[in-house]
């Protein structure tokens, strides 16, 4: 119910990816692409499975923060929806048998 943690579900998914051994590798510099297959940021696509655009910047920003953060990351609904959809796709790629949760639409609504 807290308005101070609108990105909690995204941070939880990222921390879970660390536990599962598929955590994206954080990059200190700005990169244009995120290689989904290798879990790395890059300026040129390394594989055919990559993303580009605003979600890459948002992923770089959210990777280094903690659950108790107090900064302005993913401040609007569309950023949170795009990040959630990306993270679900990332899990689908890396976790065998992973199925898109039916609760994704509910999470988008609750945390918007």
């Amino acid at each position: 119910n807290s308005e101070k943690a609108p990105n909690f579900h995204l941070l939880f998914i990222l921390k879970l990816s660390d536990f599962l051994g598929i955590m994206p590798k954080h990059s200190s510099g700005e990169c244009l692409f995120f290689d989904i297959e290798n879990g790395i940021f890059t300026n040129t696509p390394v594989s055919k499975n990559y993303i580009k655009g605003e979600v890459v910047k948002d992923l770089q920003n959210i990777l280094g923060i903690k659950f108790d953060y107090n900064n302005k990351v993913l401040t609007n609904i569309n950023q949170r929806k795009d990040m959630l959809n990306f993270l679900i796709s990332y899990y689908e790629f890396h976790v065998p048998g992973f199925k898109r949760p039916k609760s994704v639409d509910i999470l988008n609504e609750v945390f918007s």
Side-chain angles (χ1 to χ4, degrees), residues 12-90:
F12 181 84
I13 292 169
L14 280 172
K15 296 298 180 184
L16 180 60
S17 70
D18 191 21
F19 178 76
L20 294 173
I22 59 170
M23 178 74 150
K25 291 179 179 67
H26 186 262
S27 172
S28 57
E30 285 193 32
C31 295
L32 299 174
F33 302 95
F34 179 77
D35 184 317
I36 295 171
E37 189 172 326
N38 297 298
I40 59 171
F41 292 93
T42 181
N43 281 316
T44 56
V46 178
S47 72
K48 62 182 178 179
N49 298 303
Y50 65 89
I51 60 165
K52 62 181 179 176
E54 196 66 31
V55 75
V56 173
K57 293 177 188 174
D58 291 338
L59 181 60
Q60 285 178 309
N61 289 334
I62 201 170
L63 274 174
I65 61 177
K66 300 186 181 348
F67 275 100
D68 60 349
Y69 75 100
N70 191 22
N71 53 14
K72 305 292 182 201
V73 177
L74 304 179
T75 56
N76 71 53
I77 296 167
N78 290 331
Q79 285 178 301
R80 287 191 288 274
K81 285 181 181 179
D82 290 345
M83 182 60 61
L84 180 60
N85 288 328
F86 161 71
L87 291 172
I88 295 300
S89 298
Y90 187 74

Side-chain angles (χ1 to χ4, degrees), residues 1-9 67 69 80 110-112:
N1 292 330
S2 174
E3 292 181 17
K4 296 180 181 179
N7 300 321
F8 177 82
H9 62 304
F67 275 100
Y69 75 100
R80 287 191 288 274
V110 170
F111 287 101
S112 61

